């Protein structure tokens, strides 16, 4: 019997699939979604990919992104379609899919494929493994199990998922298996240089200037074990930048010598602050993010706090400092 036989049986007997991932989708969301779509095509009558937020510009180079639909642009919202299965990728909790939750007709139809250690197994089938670097690795494993005849487009999607979630193979989630998968992708003909250039080397003028502004305001606490940056809407408007341009910014405070926890605070709305946490060697930022209703991985986590930027910053830094 194959490792994922129950899942394969489910897929075999069903025809219509809705695929989704978390709000503010990243490279792992988009790469896994496209990879799974290619994988399911031989089994399906219909596959739709629907997200609560748009595909970020830096991932639009991937073939297939034009077929990813935005929830708020759907015209069948009021007259909901009933899919046979709902796949949620890269989501530790069902809430992470945002408004797309409203399209799910029954929780008994959810297939949860994810790599977050705090995943609460909300699906009827949960393929959850926190030892892999990216959900893209799990989609690759499924392709192997299914004996799928995958092509370069699948490879580009999976490789993008892995490159983005490992920070270009820098993070501790990178394993020998991660590299084995990439070796297979290279043999398939995947252009890793193109992916790396698109993801890490296509900064806009406003996005680079935003980095400058952010670094100018770098703050530290606890003898430089904590470092953070804050961005508000006014700064973005002033530089002509967007929230998308803040992707990866949290790695700057994290990269400072002696820092254990790097943080990025974003004032995304009135009384609404998004917080990204990164740690370097031991601090469990997922556990810390849980204290604010968020979650994630031990070295990368996030949360949303219903407070203005300054107050959220004070609350988080005070609480964190007390742990050092
Ligand atoms: P980022 O800082 O890049 O937004 O997120 C880092 C990691 O934490 C990602 O794996 C992401 O899925 C997770 N994460 C971010 N925000 C939240 C949140 O509000 N809730 C949960 N459960 N996970 C989050
Ligand atoms: Mn993700
Ligand atoms: Mn991921």
């Amino acid at each position: 019997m194959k490792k994922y036989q129950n899942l394969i049986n489910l897929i075999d007997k069903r025809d219509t699939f809705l695929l989704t991932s978390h709000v503010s989708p990243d490279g792992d969301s988009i790469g896994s979604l496209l990879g799974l779509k290619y994988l399911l095509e031989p089994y399906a009558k219909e596959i739709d990919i629907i997200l609560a937020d748009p595909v970020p510009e830096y991932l639009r180079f991937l073939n297939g992104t034009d077929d990813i639909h935005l929830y708020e642009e759907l015209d069948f919202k009021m007259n909901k379609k009933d899919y046979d299965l709902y796949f949620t990728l890269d989501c530790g909790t069902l809430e992470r899919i945002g408004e797309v939750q409203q399209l799910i007709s029954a929780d008994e139809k959810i297939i949860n494929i994810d790599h977050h250690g705090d995943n609460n197994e909300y699906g009827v089938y949960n393929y959850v493994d926190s030892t892999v670097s990216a959900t893209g690795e799990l989609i690759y494993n499924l392709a192997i199990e299914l004996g799928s005849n995958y092509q370069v487009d699948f490879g580009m999607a999976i490789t993008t998922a892995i490159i983005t979630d490992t920070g270009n193979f820098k993070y501790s989630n990178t394993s020998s298996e991660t590299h084995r998968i990439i070796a297979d992708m290279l043999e398939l003909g995947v252009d890793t240089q193109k992916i790396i250039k698109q993801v890490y080397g296509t900064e806009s003028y406003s996005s680079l200037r935003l980095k400058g502004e952010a670094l100018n305001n770098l703050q530290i606490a606890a003898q430089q074990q904590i470092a953070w940056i804050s961005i508000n809407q006014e700064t973005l408007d002033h530089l002509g930048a967007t929230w998308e341009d803040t992707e990866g910014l949290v790695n700057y405070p994290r990269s400072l010598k002696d820092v254990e926890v790097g943080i990025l605070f974003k004032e995304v709305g009135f009384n609404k602050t998004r917080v990204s946490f990164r740690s370097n060697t031991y601090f469990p930022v997922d556990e810390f993010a849980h204290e604010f209703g968020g979650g994630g991985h031990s070295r990368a986590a996030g949360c949303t706090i219903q407070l203005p930027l300054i107050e959220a910053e004070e609350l988080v830094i005070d609480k964190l400092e007390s742990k050092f």
Side-chain angles (χ1 to χ4, degrees):
M1 182 158 140
K2 291 186 176 175
K3 204 166 157 194
Y4 315 111
Q5 194 61 51
N6 292 341
L7 176 55
I8 294 169
N9 291 345
L10 275 171
I11 294 170
D12 253 341
K13 293 198 199 95
R14 310 293 194 283
D15 293 324
T16 61
F17 305 130
L18 171 70
L19 279 47
T20 190
S21 186
H22 56 78
V23 292
S24 301
D26 53 23
D28 192 22
S29 318
I30 303 300
S32 303
L33 284 168
L34 293 174
L36 183 61
K37 185 175 183 211
Y38 294 127
L39 206 66
L40 292 176
E41 266 163 0
Y43 301 85
K45 285 214 180 87
E46 192 180 349
I47 306 173
D48 286 330
I49 305 183
I50 300 171
L51 290 173
D53 290 321
V55 178
E57 202 50 47
Y58 72 95
L59 295 167
R60 291 229 165 246
F61 72 96
L62 284 171
N63 288 336
T65 48
D66 288 345
D67 298 325
I68 296 179
H69 305 286
L70 194 55
Y71 176 82
E72 63 184 29
E73 285 170 6
L74 296 178
D75 38 20
F76 63 79
K77 256 183 312 198
M78 304 312 285
N79 204 349
K80 278 195 297 188
K81 220 188 310 191
D82 188 14
Y83 294 86
D84 294 336
L85 290 176
Y86 298 82
F87 288 82
T88 59
L89 307 188
D90 203 38
C91 294
T93 62
L94 189 56
E95 290 67 49
R96 294 278 294 148
I97 69 174
E99 292 171 321
V100 179
Q101 281 176 90
Q102 293 167 43
L103 297 180
I104 296 187
S105 62
D107 286 355
E108 296 73 40
K109 295 179 174 185
I110 298 175
I111 311 290
N112 163 18
I113 305 180
D114 182 41
H115 69 129
H116 288 89
D118 57 3
N119 189 293
N120 62 7
E121 312 224 320
Y122 51 84
V124 66
Y125 187 94
N126 302 285
Y127 179 21
V128 178
D129 181 350
S130 63
T131 67
V132 300
S133 69
T135 300
E137 280 199 32
L138 304 179
I139 303 299
Y140 174 88
N141 293 344
L142 276 181
I144 298 294
E145 281 289 321
L146 287 167
S148 166
N149 176 30
Y150 49 82
Q151 306 294 318
V152 173
D153 279 342
F154 171 86
M156 286 291 285
I158 296 303
T159 306
T160 300
I162 292 175
I163 284 180
T164 51
D165 257 24
T166 60
N168 222 353
F169 311 108
K170 277 198 303 281
Y171 307 148
S172 56
N173 58 3
T174 310
S175 70
S176 53
E177 184 53 23
T178 311
H179 285 292
R180 268 186 216 106
I181 295 172
I182 296 299
D184 187 18
M185 297 292 104
L186 285 167
E187 281 163 13
L188 188 68
V190 167
D191 186 350
T192 51
Q193 294 311 303
K194 178 179 173 180
I195 297 170
I196 292 167
K197 174 71 185 160
Q198 291 292 332
V199 172
Y200 297 107
T202 55
E203 299 259 16
S204 65
Y205 180 66
S206 52
S207 132
L208 266 192
R209 294 203 41 217
L210 177 67
K211 284 202 168 64
E213 181 75 21
L215 289 175
N216 241 337
N217 296 307
L218 178 70
Q219 299 186 70
I220 53 170
Q223 290 84 44
Q224 211 168 298
Q225 294 174 95
I226 305 169
W228 71 97
I229 284 174
S230 296
I231 310 262
N232 57 25
Q233 189 65 53
E234 203 183 324
T235 306
L236 288 190
D237 293 346
H238 170 68
L239 296 171
T242 64
W243 287 119
E244 225 177 279
D245 294 324
T246 64
E247 181 71 32
L249 253 185
V250 65
N251 289 309
Y252 287 94
R254 173 202 239 176
S255 69
L256 185 67
K257 184 176 173 292
D258 299 329
V259 158
E260 176 56 22
V261 181
I263 312 172
L264 173 66
F265 293 94
K266 303 190 281 193
E267 185 189 53
V268 293
F270 178 68
N271 272 356
K272 191 170 172 189
T273 303
R274 274 281 316 153
V275 194
S276 287
F277 300 102
R278 299 290 184 273
S279 66
N280 278 319
T281 54
Y282 69 90
F283 191 88
V285 283
D286 50 350
E287 284 173 28
F288 188 65
H290 289 158
E291 296 187 28
F292 303 96
H297 306 284
S298 55
R299 299 289 163 263
C303 66
T304 301
I305 299 178
Q306 308 296 333
L307 284 174
L309 182 66
I310 309 287
E311 286 170 43
E313 201 177 307
E314 201 176 288
L315 178 74
V316 169
I317 299 300
D318 280 355
K319 210 167 202 171
L320 189 57
E321 255 190 305
S322 72
K323 299 185 190 284
F324 279 86

